[in-house]
Amino acid sequence: MKKVFYILSSLIFGMAMPAIAQDISLFQQFNGRYDYTAIGNTLNTVENGISAPCSILTSSNANLTLNTNQNVIAAYLYWAGSGNGDLDIALNGIPITADRTFSDALDTTRVFFAAFADVTDIITAQGNTTYTISDFDLTTTIVPYCSTGTNFGGWAITIIYEDNSLPLNQLNVYHGLQSVPDFLSITLDNLNVLDNENAKIGFVAWEGDRSIAVNEQLTINGNVISNFPLNPANNAFNGTNSFTGATDLYNMDIDVYNIQDNIQIGDTSATIALTSGQDFVMINNVITVLNSQLPDATIEINDYLVYCNDFNIEVFYTVNNFNSTDILPANTPISFYSDGLFVGSSETINPININNSESNSIVLNLPISTNPLVNLLAIVDDDGSMNGIVTETNENNNTTFTDIELLLIPEITTLPSIIGCNVGFETSTFNLFDALEPINYDDEDVAFYHSLEDLENEYSPILIPTNYNNVSNPETIYMRLLSPPCYEVFQFNLIVENCPPTIPQGFSPNSDTKNDWFNIQGLYDIFIKHELQIYNRYGVLIFEGNNDTPWEGKINRGLDNKGNKVPVGTYYYILNLNDSNYQPFMGWVYVNY
C-alpha cells in the first residue's frame, strides 16, 4: 500500500543539553488493519552503575514470533550507546549502515548516540527466527563512562504488521532523541481518534535504570500511566520489554501501554510527559495505535492541454483514496490555483472506495494577465478557500502541482526590411538571416515562417532561408527565436525594388550568339517603360528602342541605311528609365564585329 512520509515539528520543552537533541516527530503513518510488536536486547552484561563491571558485549540476540496471519509491512532497527557511535553493524550477518543518526549528552564528556535503519527486506525475507546484532563494538568507548554509570549499548527492532482480524487502525511511528532529567514534554500531532478502545502507545528508550526511581513518572494528557508489575507508576523505564515480559534489558526499555482511558474520541494530538529526579532516560521511538476509519484523499495531475494564444487549459486529474480506512464521499471539493490565485473548482462524482481512484478533467480559464509560465496547484478536499470539509487520516497530503507553459504569442519585434533587386515580376532572392543583424542568435535556434499562425503551430517552416524567393512584394516574414524558457517573435518585410541597370561598355553583333546585342542587365521586363536612344559620333540619332525593341547594332532612324548594321565604332546612348527614382543614364558604347 502507499506509505506517507513526512516530518512534523513538535512542541518540546526540556532542559538544555550540551549536544543538540533531535525532536521526536512523525516519521511514518500507516492506515489499515495494522499493529506492531518489538524485539531487541542489551549489550550490557549487568545494569550499569559505579560498582558494576566495566564490560560490554559486541553482539546479542532476540527471537521474533509472529502469528501466521500477521504479515510484515515494515521493520525499523534502532541501536544506541555511549559515545559518538558505531554506525556500521550487522543483522544476522548482513551489514547495516545507519540511515539516520541522533545524538544527546549529559555534558561535554558524556555524549550518546542513536541510529536508525530500515530493515524491512531482511525481516520480511527471514520471518520468524532468532535475530542477532553483531559487530556492534563499544568495548573501548565505554571506559570513560563506567565511573558514572552511563555506559550502555543496545538495540531494538519495531515490526509493523498487517492482520485482517484487526480493526481499522491508524499507526504512527515517531522518532528522534530527547532526554530527561528533569522534565520532558512531547506533543504527538496528526492523530485521529475515532474510537479509543484498545488505544496504545509504545516507546523505545535508552539508559533507564531499574535501581533508580526518583520522581520517575510517565503521563499522557496529564494522566499517569503504568503497566504494573512490569512498569510501575514510579519507575517507568526500568529495563523491560512489555511484549515479551523480559526484565533483563539492562539500561534500555521496549514498553507499550494501554491508553484507552487517557485519550478522547476526536483528539488530534496527545501530550506525553516524563519526569525524573535522577535517572537519565533518552526516548528514541514512540508508536501510537488508534482505531481510525477515515478516507485519505490525494490528487494527481495526469496531463493537460494548452491551446495556441489561449488562456484556457484543460487539466486531467485523478483523485485517490489509497492510504485510507474508509470511503471518500462523493462531492468532495477540488480547487485549482494559478500562482496562488483561485481559478476553478470541481468535485468528485462518486464515492471512492478504499484503495480506489476516480479520474476526471476540467477546463480552467486563466486571467489574461497570467504569466506564460503557470504554476498550477490542485487541492482535493478544498472548498476554494483552502479549507477542507472531509476529516481524513492525513490532512497534509491533499495537494499537487505542475508547471505549465501557455502557448501565448510574445510581443512581436519588427526588424528592418531587406531590400532586394527586381529580377523580373517583382521577385528577388534573399538570405533571410540578413534581417537578423541587429540581434544575437544561434542559427539552430531560428526558424522562419510565412505566417504568424504557422509560427505559433511550428508548422511548415521555410526550409532554405539562405536562398529564398519572395512570393509577393512586399512580403512579411515571421521568425521564431528560441529563448529559454519561452521564445521570441520577430517580423520583417522583404521589399523588391528596381535597382539601377548594369550597362555594358560594348558588344559585337556578329551573330555568333555571344554578346550580340546591347544587353543592359536589369533593364528589360523591369523598367518596362524605358526609352533608349543611340547617336553616332556626329550627334545623329540612329536608333530608338524600348522594352520591346533592344538594340542589336542596326539603324532604325533616318532615311539612309535603315536596317543596316552600324560600322565599328563608338556610339553615344541616352537611357531614360522613366522612373522617378532615377535620372537618365548617358554614356558611350563600343560596337565591334
Side-chain angles (χ1 to χ4, degrees), residues 233-551:
N234 65 343
N235 197 2
F237 298 99
N238 56 355
T240 59
N241 184 336
S242 302
F243 293 98
T244 65
T247 59
D248 57 353
L249 270 64
Y250 306 123
N251 304 111
M252 64 171 287
D253 285 86
I254 303 174
D255 293 327
V256 64
Y257 297 87
N258 186 297
I259 56 172
Q260 178 171 319
D261 298 325
N262 300 283
I263 194 166
Q264 303 301 315
I265 295 173
D267 284 356
T268 58
S269 65
T271 300
I272 59 173
L274 175 63
T275 60
S276 175
Q278 181 179 349
D279 201 1
F280 178 68
V281 178
M282 292 176 288
I283 295 179
N284 195 181
N285 159 288
V286 180
I287 292 184
T288 59
V289 181
L290 304 169
N291 183 256
S292 174
Q293 295 185 39
L294 292 174
D296 183 35
T298 61
I299 188 168
E300 305 170 58
I301 295 177
N302 308 116
D303 202 359
Y304 57 85
L305 292 176
V306 295
Y307 305 95
C308 195
N309 208 30
D310 195 334
F311 285 89
N312 291 326
I313 58 175
E314 185 172 7
V315 179
F316 300 87
Y317 61 89
T318 298
V319 175
N320 306 307
N321 188 28
F322 289 157
N323 197 33
S324 61
T325 54
D326 202 2
I327 294 172
L328 180 69
N331 308 122
T332 298
I334 306 163
S335 294
F336 297 86
Y337 300 84
S338 171
D339 297 316
L341 180 68
F342 176 78
V343 292
S345 64
S346 182
E347 59 185 17
T348 58
I349 300 172
N350 304 300
I352 303 176
N353 290 327
I354 297 170
N355 292 327
N356 281 8
S357 303
E358 179 183 277
S359 296
N360 209 337
S361 66
I362 184 173
V363 176
L364 301 174
N365 187 2
L366 304 182
I368 293 178
S369 60
T370 299
N371 188 295
L373 291 179
V374 174
N375 180 268
L376 183 69
L377 174 68
I379 308 180
V380 62
D381 189 24
D382 175 15
D383 62 4
S385 60
M386 294 196 173
N387 291 316
I389 65 171
V390 179
T391 302
E392 304 176 58
T393 60
N394 184 354
E395 299 286 358
N396 298 287
N397 63 345
N398 297 129
T399 65
T400 189
F401 69 90
T402 189
D403 292 324
I404 298 175
E405 182 178 352
L406 300 180
L407 296 178
L408 302 182
I409 303 172
E411 183 177 347
I412 300 176
T413 301
T414 300
L415 298 174
S417 301
I418 308 178
I419 308 300
C421 291
N422 189 358
V423 295
F425 306 103
E426 296 192 17
T427 63
S428 186
T429 300
F430 297 88
N431 180 348
L432 302 184
F433 286 98
D434 290 345
L436 310 187
E437 291 183 4
I439 64 174
N440 295 319
Y441 65 92
D442 291 325
D443 289 3
E444 60 270 19
D445 294 334
V446 170
F448 298 93
Y449 296 89
H450 290 99
S451 69
L452 192 57
E453 182 179 4
D454 287 350
L455 181 147
E456 295 166 6
N457 296 302
E458 297 185 72
Y459 171 76
S460 188
I462 295 172
L463 297 178
I464 309 176
T466 56
N467 188 28
Y468 176 73
N469 293 324
N470 62 297
V471 295
S472 64
N473 185 28
E475 180 181 6
T476 302
I477 299 294
Y478 298 90
M479 189 271 285
R480 179 186 179 114
L481 175 63
L482 290 180
S483 179
C486 298
Y487 64 90
E488 298 177 74
V489 177
F490 299 82
Q491 72 176 41
F492 56 90
N493 287 332
L494 304 180
I495 299 175
V496 178
E497 294 184 349
N498 294 332
C499 297
T502 303
I503 302 173
Q505 295 180 338
F507 67 100
S508 55
N510 56 10
S511 301
D512 65 355
T513 70
K514 298 178 182 180
N515 203 23
D516 278 342
W517 58 292
F518 191 16
N519 184 9
I520 302 175
Q521 300 292 323
L523 177 64
Y524 298 94
D525 298 324
I526 297 173
F527 295 96
I528 58 176
K529 295 181 179 181
H530 76 270
E531 296 175 342
L532 176 64
Q533 297 174 333
I534 304 295
Y535 296 85
N536 63 18
R537 59 181 178 169
Y538 303 109
V540 176
L541 177 66
I542 61 173
F543 177 82
E544 283 187 299
N546 54 34
N547 198 59
D548 298 320
T549 309
W551 189 39

